[in-house]
Amino acid sequence: DSGIGGLTVANAIKKALPNESIIYFGDTKHLPYGEKSPKTINEYSKKICDFLIKKNCKMIVIACNTASSVAYQNIKEACPETTIVNVIDPVIEYLSKESPSKKVGIIGTKGTINSGIYSKKIKEKIANTQVRTLATPLLAPMIEEGFINDTISKTVINNYLEKPILSGIEKIILACTHYPLIENIVKEFYNNKVEVIDSASQVASYVKKTLEKENLKSQQQAEYRFYVSDYTDSFEKSAKFFFNENIHLEEVIL
Ligand code: DGL
């Protein structure tokens, strides 16, 4: 991921698969991804995958909706020996099998929303569903700066959710891996009348199923390693919050 957002996915994977070691890369130097061009996101994503492949990862989870939207296909082609998972398909699968609905709202970065990927995939897989999308570019940097559960974050989030384009939705997809950290404020806004779907838990069960199917599950003691392209306090704090005090965090130049 570009920063701490993917930690929500890594944390869900840790809970679902306690014997799997995780090597996490947060590209904090280039954050936010949501504002960058697809070409640039592709370049960063490829470098990160090369790094992870050198570390012998058997699977790479693109724990970022922006990179999943614009770089997944290219990464899959460039890394044929490694299983690549994006954070969009598991959510579409959940929606089509478990929770179809007539009107779905989607919020995410400009990169994700402008790619049109969610609308395209939903149209392909689920009949009669209206999709309402809204780019919410202030949210990822706000969360990265630690504004998670206070008056500032509530004001910004409510301002976005009040937009007419989202009125009358039955479900909302948090199409950015940073957003599970503000999920409670979204739920509060809708007074629990709208289902809030985040990718972290869907991705974790998808990863589990895939490892089982490909016979890749580990039985060993798990280890967690964290790499960032630029050391930041907020990253260290969040990594400790999810993965306890003794985390191993290193800065690397790609
Ligand atoms: N967490 C990422 C996503 O899911 C990227 C946020 C950002 O860096 O803009 O889109």
Side-chain angles (χ1 to χ4, degrees):
D1 185 49
S2 58
I4 64 173
L7 289 171
T8 60
V9 178
N11 187 43
I13 294 174
K14 177 182 101 172
K15 284 192 185 142
L17 293 156
N19 292 335
E20 297 300 336
S21 293
I22 296 176
I23 298 181
Y24 186 93
F25 193 95
D27 195 6
T28 41
K29 187 173 175 182
H30 299 123
L31 178 119
Y33 272 17
E35 311 293 307
K36 308 269 182 322
S37 69
K39 181 174 161 276
T40 301
I41 304 288
N42 268 283
E43 273 165 26
Y44 297 157
S45 304
K46 176 69 174 52
K47 280 193 183 159
I48 297 169
C49 289
D50 290 344
F51 173 83
L52 294 173
I53 288 170
K54 277 203 196 109
K55 297 269 172 213
N56 283 328
C57 292
K58 59 187 173 189
M59 172 187 270
I60 296 177
V61 179
I62 308 176
C64 169
N65 275 267
T66 314
S68 292
S69 301
V70 301
Y72 169 65
Q73 214 45 47
N74 295 338
I75 288 175
K76 232 179 112 160
E77 280 158 30
C79 314
E81 308 288 315
T82 313
T83 305
I84 312 286
V85 172
N86 67 62
V87 288
I88 300 170
D89 290 333
V91 173
I92 303 290
E93 195 179 289
Y94 165 77
L95 208 58
S96 67
K97 288 198 182 134
E98 322 262 343
S99 186
S101 97
K102 292 209 176 65
K103 206 168 181 185
V104 180
I106 295 170
I107 54 172
T109 65
K110 281 187 196 161
T112 300
I113 298 303
N114 292 345
S115 77
I117 188 111
Y118 275 90
S119 309
K120 185 173 161 266
K121 288 191 183 243
I122 290 176
K123 218 173 262 164
E124 276 165 17
K125 297 261 160 73
I126 318 164
N128 303 324
T129 296
Q130 269 188 55
V131 180
R132 298 294 180 89
T133 61
L134 180 71
T136 47
L138 288 181
L139 298 188
M142 179 188 88
I143 294 165
E144 200 71 33
E145 282 302 320
F147 294 97
I148 284 171
N149 198 6
D150 53 19
T151 46
I152 293 178
S153 46
K154 275 187 195 156
T155 308
V156 175
I157 294 162
N158 290 359
N159 196 285
Y160 279 134
L161 299 179
E162 277 159 6
K163 300 269 185 250
I165 186 128
L166 295 177
S167 77
I169 55 170
E170 294 157 13
K171 295 180 201 305
I172 186 159
I173 299 176
L174 305 183
C176 172
T177 53
H178 279 71
Y179 299 177
L181 294 162
I182 45 119
E183 190 165 350
N184 284 344
I185 304 180
V186 178
K187 283 188 172 152
E188 214 175 274
F189 176 86
Y190 288 114
N191 219 348
N192 292 323
K193 296 211 168 70
V194 165
E195 185 191 355
V196 180
I197 302 169
D198 76 67
S199 41
S201 46
Q202 307 309 329
V203 173
S205 43
Y206 188 91
V207 166
K208 190 169 176 199
K209 262 194 305 191
T210 309
L211 289 179
E212 277 161 5
K213 202 168 72 195
E214 297 187 9
N215 235 343
L216 286 176
K217 262 183 94 184
S218 154
Q219 302 303 337
Q220 284 164 11
Q221 171 90 26
E223 267 179 39
Y224 304 110
R225 283 178 177 262
F226 300 86
Y227 294 91
V228 284
S229 48
D230 188 31
Y231 175 85
T232 61
D233 273 347
S234 60
F235 186 92
E236 179 153 10
K237 256 192 227 140
S238 304
K240 282 184 175 160
F241 173 75
F242 286 121
F243 285 82
N244 82 43
E245 288 300 304
N246 305 318
I247 60 151
H248 178 93
L249 174 63
E250 250 179 71
E251 189 179 78
V252 284
I253 295 160
L254 283 184

